[in-house]
Amino acid sequence: MPKTKVFVTRLIPEKGLTLIRDFCDADIWQDELPPPREMIFERVRGVDGLVSLLTDKIDGEVMDAAPHLKVISNMAVGVDNVDLAAATTRKLPVGNTPGVLTDATADMAFALMTSAARRIVEGEKYVRNGKWKTWHPQLLLGADFVGATLGIIGFGRIGKAVAKRAKGFDLRVIYYDPSVPSAFDAVPVDLDALLRESDFVSLHVPLTEETRHLVNAETLNKMKPNAILVNTSRGPVVDLQDLYDALKSKRIFAAALDVTEPEPLPADSPLLELDNCLIVPHLGSASKYTRDMMSLLAAQNLIAGLKGERLPHCVNPQVYD
Ligand code: DGY
């Protein structure tokens, strides 16, 4: 009996791939770069299932190019690259990979926060560039943690995991998330209070029309001059031009970004000229175990969808109504 055909838009970890190969006839995109849009159209034509990544725009046009499609399995917790309304209209379940990347992403937020606060990257460049002549009492002074306030915007799984880590650093934790009215170890506040009071602001919201450019000139102007902004959510949550202006004029102390708009950040981005802006290439979930587990969940969602079963992690359960 022929196996079901699926398209996997990149070489994902073997953990999930083995499962997919056992169950399906898998066409796996081998390049380092994502498949161009035209190529996605071509490759999805005869498939029953699609495993996509956050770099692939999966909209109604792609869905219509795949008339046999039964399931879209996105190997990410964020699904802003998939047009969920279009999928729901077409009764296509969309899977994601929540939970397994919570700790890795919270670890990254903390790594960025501590690196920006203690100017680790600047220090490292200083040494490599042969500038280290002596110990100096005023050299590369950074920020302290004990007693400082961490403001978390978006208090879901990852926001909460960041709060847990903050306790070990004796930070006071406040958060803004209208969907979480109270929490055991953090104080809910409104957005203005959070911006006004926080020494560290960490973003953990999904990208939606409401959160797009949530951090802009107006919100940055409400932050403390010593504030450090950390973004491990989605690039477009921050208006990078406004952030550049705030960092250049020292309106805030520093920013540490795991995500940018666009990705990759162009090599001539003015942000790259700033010492108080640390940028890494969307590595939040990039630990071996986490990526293995993400690939496994993606495979499980895919296979459930192909069998006509409910996806273990479905972001548009309305398709089952
Ligand atoms: C996700 O899963 O949404 C993350 O951004 C991947 O790192």
Side-chain angles (χ1 to χ4, degrees):
M1 176 143 161
K3 288 177 173 176
T4 9
K5 285 192 188 322
V6 298
F7 180 45
V8 183
T9 64
R10 215 76 54 76
L11 205 49
I12 65 173
E14 207 44 52
K15 190 112 187 153
L17 219 42
T18 307
L19 205 61
I20 295 174
R21 284 200 189 102
D22 282 352
F23 192 83
C24 317
D25 173 5
D27 174 14
I28 300 156
W29 186 256
Q30 302 287 331
D31 287 7
E32 185 196 353
L33 296 180
R37 195 161 163 79
E38 289 314 312
M39 204 43 88
I40 295 186
F41 286 136
E42 193 178 312
R43 305 293 265 266
V44 296
R45 205 161 290 143
V47 304
D48 302 280
L50 171 65
V51 176
S52 53
L53 303 188
L54 54 87
T55 43
D56 310 313
K57 182 176 171 197
I58 308 299
D59 56 13
E61 271 190 272
V62 171
M63 297 168 201
D64 290 341
H68 306 298
L69 196 60
K70 293 189 182 68
V71 54
I72 299 167
S73 173
N74 207 43
M75 200 188 99
V77 67
V79 284
D80 47 279
N81 60 305
V82 181
D83 185 337
L84 291 186
T88 307
T89 308
R90 291 162 179 78
K91 293 270 174 217
L92 282 172
V94 178
N96 73 338
T97 63
V100 292
L101 47 77
T102 300
D103 285 316
T105 309
D107 290 345
M108 176 56 84
F110 238 85
L112 289 175
M113 204 184 301
T114 47
S115 302
R118 300 305 303 272
R119 305 175 70 170
I120 303 292
V121 174
E122 277 180 88
E124 211 262 349
K125 273 195 214 150
Y126 190 83
V127 174
R128 279 185 197 269
N129 293 340
K131 292 189 181 159
W132 187 16
K133 302 283 187 274
T134 181
W135 185 89
H136 192 285
Q138 303 283 2
L139 178 64
L140 290 172
L141 303 185
D144 290 291
F145 285 89
V146 175
T149 297
L150 165 64
I152 298 177
I153 300 184
F155 211 58
R157 270 182 292 254
I158 300 173
K160 287 187 179 115
V162 171
K164 191 167 147 197
R165 284 151 180 77
K167 290 291 159 190
F169 278 67
D170 284 338
L171 283 157
R172 168 183 173 246
V173 183
I174 59 179
Y175 72 91
Y176 168 67
D177 188 333
S179 69
V180 186
S182 66
F184 164 64
D185 51 357
V187 181
V189 292
D190 64 33
L191 184 58
D192 276 4
L194 183 140
L195 297 168
R196 219 173 33 240
E197 292 177 29
S198 299
D199 302 291
F200 301 93
V201 175
S202 194
L203 303 174
H204 301 287
V205 286
L207 176 63
T208 62
E209 276 324 299
E210 288 77 50
T211 61
R212 185 176 294 276
H213 290 184
L214 175 79
V215 176
N216 54 32
E218 195 187 331
T219 41
L220 285 160
N221 267 327
K222 292 178 182 167
M223 291 188 198
K224 289 178 162 187
N226 65 303
I228 294 175
L229 174 74
V230 178
N231 189 11
T232 52
S233 61
R234 283 290 183 266
V237 175
V238 178
D239 182 321
L240 287 190
Q241 181 57 53
D242 290 355
L243 178 65
Y244 172 81
D245 294 340
L247 291 170
K248 177 86 180 162
S249 62
K250 303 267 179 357
R251 177 61 202 80
I252 66 169
F253 180 69
L257 310 175
D258 181 40
V259 288
T260 59
E261 181 190 26
E263 288 181 14
L265 194 67
D268 61 356
S269 165
L271 278 173
L272 297 172
E273 290 159 18
L274 299 178
D275 284 335
N276 56 349
C277 189
L278 192 170
I279 305 177
V280 293
H282 203 148
L283 298 176
S285 62
S287 75
K288 172 83 181 72
Y289 172 78
T290 301
R291 288 284 165 84
D292 278 353
M293 293 313 290
M294 286 169 71
S295 73
L296 190 62
L297 289 199
Q300 289 168 343
N301 280 331
L302 175 80
I303 292 166
L306 292 172
K307 288 179 172 167
E309 293 167 4
R310 201 181 174 100
L311 311 196
H313 301 283
C314 182
V315 289
N316 58 343
Q318 313 88 294
V319 294
Y320 299 115
D321 291 346

